[in-house]
Amino acid sequence: MKDYPDKMSAADARTFRDDVLNIVSQIPCGKVTTYGHIAALAGWPSHSRMVGRTLRYTPGADLLPCHRVVNIAGRTAPGWGRQRDLLEAEGVTFKANGRVDMSRHLWEPDIL
């Protein structure tokens, strides 16, 4: 695993978790955002992988619209086939290559 120069303390990790969950809860229907964007909004731009881990391992995170989080290229989470179905049900369109049309559906809030 990458050795981050900006390691988190336990208190930082709890704050990061809470911030990630708060940000994800605000993604509107029909929009997506990226792991990296969430990490940056939470104040830890080099921790995009930790966003994914937070969403996967935090109890109750499955009650949030986690399906609206994709990678920077618009790819859905590997091994979660239902994610595409959930996004399409909200009107999110995909390109021929199977990726979300980020130019139409990327959510970038100015301020949270």
Side-chain angles (χ1 to χ4, degrees):
M1 181 179 293
K2 181 179 177 182
D3 185 29
Y4 294 104
D6 52 349
K7 291 184 180 179
M8 289 184 184
S9 67
D12 289 336
R14 286 188 295 275
T15 300
F16 180 82
R17 177 201 61 213
D18 294 344
D19 289 346
V20 166
L21 298 178
N22 180 43
I23 293 163
V24 170
S25 73
Q26 296 179 52
I27 305 169
C29 183
K31 294 290 185 179
V32 298
T33 197
T34 68
Y35 298 100
H37 194 204
I38 292 170
L41 288 169
W44 295 84
S46 66
H47 286 65
S48 57
R49 288 181 185 239
M50 194 166 173
V51 171
R53 289 186 196 108
T54 298
L55 296 177
R56 181 173 180 150
Y57 296 114
T58 301
D62 57 333
L63 302 175
L64 297 173
C66 297
H67 63 282
R68 297 178 186 151
V69 182
V70 297
N71 78 6
I72 191 69
R75 288 191 300 262
T76 56
W80 187 17
R82 189 157 180 259
Q83 184 178 12
R84 180 175 176 142
D85 295 336
L86 291 168
L87 290 171
E88 287 179 327
E90 294 181 356
V92 174
T93 56
F94 287 76
K95 295 180 178 181
N97 63 7
R99 298 176 185 178
V100 171
D101 185 346
M102 300 296 275
S103 65
R104 292 183 62 195
H105 301 287
L106 181 62
W107 175 68
E108 294 185 281
D110 294 328
I111 300 174
L112 292 176

